[in-house]
Amino acid sequence: MKIHEYQAKQIFRNAGVPVLRGQVARTPDEAAQAFRDLGGPLAVVKAQIHAGGRGKGTVKEHPSQRGVQLVRAADEAAQVARNLLGNCLVTIQTGPEGQTVRQVFVEEGCDIARELYLGIVLDRAAARPVLMVSNEGGVEIEKVAAETPELIYREHFDTHAGLQSYQVRKLCTRLGIQGAEARSAERFMKSLCRLFVAYDCSLAEINPLVITRAGEMIALDAKLTFDDNALFRHPELKELRDLSEEEPAEVRAANAGLSYVKLDGNIGCLVNGAGLAMSTMDLIKLHGGEPANFLDVGGGANTEQVTEAFRILLGDPNVKAVLVNIFGGIARCTTIANALVEASRQVGFNVPLVVRLEGTEVDEGRRILAESDVAIISAESLTDAAQKVVATLK
Amino acid sequence: MSILVNKDTRVICQGITGKAGAFHTKGCLEYGTQMVGGVTPGRRGEKVEGLPVFDTVEQAVAETGANASMIFVPAAFTADAILEALDAGIELIAAITEGVPVMDMVYVYDKIKRSQATLIGPNCPGVITPGECKIGIMPGYIHQPGCVGVMSRSGTLTYEAVWQTTNLGLGQSTCVGLGGDPIVGTSFIDLLRRFEADPLTKAILMIGEIGGTAEEEAAAWVAQHVTKPVAAFIAGRTAPPGKRMGHAGAIISGGKGTAEEKIAALEAAGIEVAQSPAEMGQAVQRAMQRKGVK
């Protein structure tokens, strides 16, 4: 689960990770008021969307407006907010369609001495989290990682003991940080690593991380992603979820216990199992088609879930044909066949439907389909299924 | 011979009184697995499918001599269940449960690696040695005793591969579902080492997917240590970056973990890569022919 920068900063503040003062604004007036409340000579107005790259992103409706802007007066803060709010911000991470800005964060300014990068992710190969820092702050860290990986310094840390002082010293030495700055860095990094574990984060990223002229390390940006599987033990985080930032069909699928990802093609896929679902997409592409989605109905799918899956699939106006690929293990072919018949009754198929059934209760499943009045193109194998569904579009 | 499990493996089910635990205990019994009991705290004395239920794994081991456990407890309690099995001296722990928090697995993984035990999963179909022992949720009938060692990060895609090798008459020595999570107890390399040493296994099929670097690491290990023919398939060639494809582990992040990178690494290691999921079995045949293995 992703959250907004201003929400992440509240968590940072509570955990003792230094951030600047700021206020959320949902109207230009609120932005102006926030500027006055902060009381400084300048402030920064930042669009709040779940995608990164906001500083370089542009607003569709106001091409000269960036997603992050320095302002020096209350009315200027209001004007920037007006340009952003309700409009569409396009960044390298949003794709060309962009993302609607529904709130801005107005934050006080600070005297920046240097900009750094800091990230914490789970290192799967090491099976523990890794803290990464670099002097190459403020730029695309992916580029640094690809071109000059030696400029990113890494320390794995124990999730129970936390980041150790010597590890901070190693990092500070490499970064060229010393004295009061190093002491500030130690508090900062240790608190952040503790927070990462305590909140079951899968990603914490601060770009830029700054050191002020006063020698304090501060998170100028804040990005947190949480492990969905651990949300059950963080009820307070669930309230931070912003459904307007998510694809409605994906939210709907998740509520039905389905795993769905919308894609750009026109062949809807309904499959059991994540690996088989991905492979089915690959196979469609291999035979010249374009998958409209990833959809895994899971192992224990019942009739209601599968019917809902068909509703979601057919609710996508781009879908011109549907491929059902089931290798029954736990999921039985009969369940899928009955759901197909039921979905046809409730939703009605107005596009060609190719079905490939294999595995548990396959003969019975095929019989149910054959005896129903649902128009089905049945396929014998994976390749046959992919070829047939692509052919329906030619 | 085979790896990890065989006809002598004595299995308990943690979470046996739950719906999934009871259902799959029955499935394993029907397959011929030596299921010897189950564990659900507070339910000692009950029976499920005629098997005795115990309060703790320690009790179950003492009274049944179990050396393997199949875990079906809810995700929030899975780490605890794995650690309990480990503490009781269980040698093979298969955690089927989906949705275990990653931070739990960081801790569990560390404990497992310091022990002699093997953990399969979590979020996996389990492990099967055809004709001898099935621990998990895979449909038994698609398997056939044979010579291909199958290891996979995905469930149903494994069934697909198994079905293909069965239809080609190759059969399987042992099939292991590693699990779809970012941290799982057993890696491809752990299994490559076992399959390479197993006399019954003549060829190895590795089924990977996008995300992480497990396939690249396995490829490097194959190039150095494996003499047997190896074939592979990678799912997720068409998956867009940044989107989690069902499995928590199947996500391309920061430009890493793409199918192209993995396929290139596998091919560089001399592994026969199936271009389509429909020809995983044939890829094994080609790998065997190339090395002159029959």
Side-chain angles (χ1 to χ4, degrees):
Chain A
M1 183 186 89
K2 292 179 180 177
I3 59 173
H4 290 293
E5 173 197 1
Y6 77 91
Q7 297 168 320
K9 284 185 168 169
Q10 189 57 47
I11 293 174
F12 277 23
R13 190 187 301 278
N14 295 342
V17 177
V19 291
L20 297 169
R21 291 183 305 133
Q23 287 182 23
V24 182
R26 293 182 179 83
T27 65
D29 285 348
E30 284 179 15
Q33 189 56 47
F35 184 90
R36 285 189 287 268
D37 290 348
L38 290 170
L42 53 86
V44 181
V45 179
K46 310 171 89 173
Q48 298 294 292
I49 57 170
H50 279 181
R54 294 168 298 162
K56 294 198 179 85
T58 56
V59 176
K60 257 189 198 166
E61 294 82 352
H62 298 275
S64 62
Q65 180 66 58
R66 305 276 155 171
V68 176
Q69 190 175 326
L70 188 74
V71 294
R72 297 179 188 279
D75 56 347
E76 202 187 337
Q79 185 53 47
V80 172
R82 201 168 289 122
N83 290 346
L84 289 169
L85 290 166
N87 289 332
C88 197
L89 184 61
V90 181
T91 80
I92 51 162
Q93 289 186 14
T94 60
E97 66 275 18
Q99 190 113 35
T100 304
V101 181
R102 292 183 174 83
Q103 47 210 347
V104 296
F105 190 49
V106 185
E107 193 173 62
E108 64 178 343
C110 75
D111 242 346
I112 299 171
R114 59 192 286 192
E115 293 194 357
L116 309 158
Y117 167 88
L118 185 152
I120 307 177
V121 293
L122 179 82
D123 180 349
R124 293 160 58 150
R128 51 174 51 199
V130 60
L131 169 67
M132 303 177 290
V133 292
S134 174
N135 274 319
E136 311 295 306
V139 295
E140 266 179 69
I141 197 67
E142 286 87 356
K143 214 176 146 198
V144 181
E147 291 166 12
T148 48
E150 68 280 5
L151 297 181
I152 299 176
Y153 313 120
R154 298 175 169 82
E155 285 290 324
H156 291 88
F157 61 93
D158 186 287
T159 52
H160 282 71
L163 187 73
Q164 299 297 300
S165 296
Y166 80 87
Q167 297 184 292
V168 180
R169 289 199 299 276
K170 276 169 73 182
L171 292 173
C172 284
T173 303
R174 291 183 186 140
L175 291 168
I177 295 175
Q178 48 193 332
E181 295 182 358
R183 285 191 291 280
S184 173
E186 174 159 4
R187 281 192 300 275
F188 188 104
M189 291 181 192
K190 283 185 169 177
S191 302
L192 191 68
C193 288
R194 259 196 304 276
L195 178 161
F196 186 87
V197 176
Y199 282 93
D200 282 289
C201 297
S202 46
L203 170 85
E205 193 171 44
I206 303 171
N207 192 17
L209 167 74
V210 302
I211 297 178
T212 63
R213 296 212 184 276
E216 195 186 3
M217 188 172 268
I218 292 177
L220 218 55
D221 186 25
K223 191 172 173 185
L224 284 181
T225 307
F226 304 103
D227 177 0
D228 292 339
N229 289 340
L231 288 177
F232 70 87
R233 58 188 173 205
H234 302 287
E236 75 282 10
L237 293 180
K238 283 186 192 157
E239 290 161 23
L240 302 181
R241 186 165 177 194
D242 184 352
L243 290 177
S244 64
E245 293 279 325
E246 298 175 31
E247 168 69 37
E250 292 179 14
V251 174
R252 188 174 161 191
N255 289 339
L258 306 165
S259 180
Y260 171 87
V261 178
K262 190 177 167 358
L263 302 168
D264 298 329
N266 55 8
I267 298 176
C269 310
L270 188 153
V271 189
N272 67 325
L276 192 59
M278 268 189 279
S279 305
T280 303
M281 288 161 43
D282 297 345
L283 202 61
I284 288 172
K285 188 112 174 170
L286 193 70
H287 290 281
E290 286 291 337
N293 65 279
F294 165 95
L295 199 163
D296 170 14
V297 296
N302 57 37
T303 306
E304 289 73 39
Q305 279 175 304
V306 177
T307 310
E308 177 71 358
F310 276 115
R311 279 199 206 100
I312 291 167
L313 276 189
L314 298 171
D316 177 352
N318 294 334
V319 169
K320 302 290 181 245
V322 171
L323 171 58
V324 175
N325 181 20
I326 300 295
F327 202 114
I330 304 321
R332 295 165 208 183
C333 291
T334 44
T335 307
I336 302 291
N338 282 324
L340 236 153
V341 175
E342 187 58 34
S344 161
R345 204 169 290 150
Q346 289 188 20
V347 196
F349 291 114
N350 47 4
V351 297
L353 178 67
V354 177
V355 180
R356 182 259 183 161
L357 291 180
E358 197 59 74
T360 310
E361 298 179 2
V362 58
D363 295 336
E364 182 67 6
R366 285 181 183 154
R367 190 188 58 77
I368 292 169
L369 290 181
E371 289 175 3
S372 76
D373 51 5
V374 188
I376 283 166
I377 305 166
S378 53
E380 290 306 313
S381 71
L382 269 180
T383 305
D384 188 34
Q387 284 169 342
K388 278 181 173 158
V389 78
V390 172
T392 62
L393 297 176
K394 293 227 167 106
Chain B
M1 278 286 285
S2 52
I3 69 165
L4 298 170
V5 297
N6 57 37
K7 59 183 176 10
D8 299 321
T9 307
R10 297 171 68 79
V11 187
I12 55 164
C13 175
Q14 287 172 262
I16 192 168
T17 57
K19 198 177 152 201
F23 179 78
H24 293 294
T25 294
K26 182 163 179 266
C28 293
L29 274 170
E30 284 167 357
Y31 192 75
T33 306
Q34 269 205 71
M35 295 298 302
V36 295
V39 175
T40 299
R43 306 283 289 268
R44 184 186 170 97
E46 293 183 23
K47 296 249 177 198
V48 173
E49 297 295 325
L51 301 175
V53 180
F54 302 94
D55 284 334
T56 64
V57 179
E58 187 181 35
Q59 281 175 352
V61 168
E63 298 193 29
T64 67
N67 58 2
S69 177
M70 167 168 87
I71 297 180
F72 276 101
V73 306
F77 313 116
T78 300
D80 185 64
I82 295 169
L83 294 173
E84 183 183 0
L86 183 64
D87 176 76
I90 295 282
E91 292 157 15
L92 181 102
I93 306 163
I96 313 300
T97 307
E98 182 178 0
V100 180
V102 174
M103 221 57 87
D104 290 4
M105 282 309 299
V106 170
Y107 183 68
V108 167
Y109 182 88
D110 200 48
K111 293 277 182 196
I112 290 284
K113 288 298 143 183
R114 289 161 197 266
S115 75
Q116 298 297 312
T118 298
L119 169 68
I120 308 284
N123 189 14
C124 77
V127 51
I128 180 169
T129 291
E132 297 194 30
C133 177
K134 161 178 127 98
I135 302 180
I137 61 178
M138 62 290 275
Y141 77 92
I142 61 173
H143 300 79
Q144 173 191 305
C147 70
V148 184
V150 181
M151 51 185 193
S152 168
R153 279 170 65 187
S154 142
T156 46
L157 191 54
T158 318
Y159 308 163
E160 192 72 56
V162 164
W163 190 232
Q164 289 172 21
T165 51
T166 292
N167 288 336
L168 291 172
L170 294 168
Q172 307 84 34
S173 54
T174 300
C175 308
V176 187
L178 274 63
D181 284 353
I183 298 181
V184 290
T186 296
S187 69
F188 284 130
I189 294 177
D190 295 332
L191 295 175
L192 282 168
R193 189 179 285 124
R194 289 176 188 269
F195 280 133
E196 174 71 9
D198 172 37
L200 198 73
T201 301
K202 288 188 191 164
I204 303 165
L205 173 58
M206 170 163 84
I207 302 159
E209 61 189 27
I210 53 160
T213 53
E215 293 79 6
E216 287 89 330
E217 288 149 27
W221 205 87
V222 166
Q224 293 215 328
H225 304 283
V226 178
T227 57
K228 293 178 181 179
V230 182
F233 174 73
I234 302 291
R237 275 191 156 177
T238 54
K243 290 280 190 181
R244 168 182 153 164
M245 306 308 269
H247 288 159
I251 181 164
I252 299 168
S253 52
K256 301 297 274 181
T258 64
E260 281 67 30
E261 284 178 298
K262 290 172 188 296
I263 290 166
L266 294 166
E267 286 178 342
I271 295 169
E272 187 71 37
V273 179
Q275 298 302 313
S276 146
E279 55 140 16
M280 292 184 282
Q282 289 152 352
V284 175
Q285 280 185 321
R286 284 201 304 272
M288 291 173 79
Q289 280 156 11
R290 246 173 48 189
K291 291 220 173 184
V293 176
K294 281 179 191 154

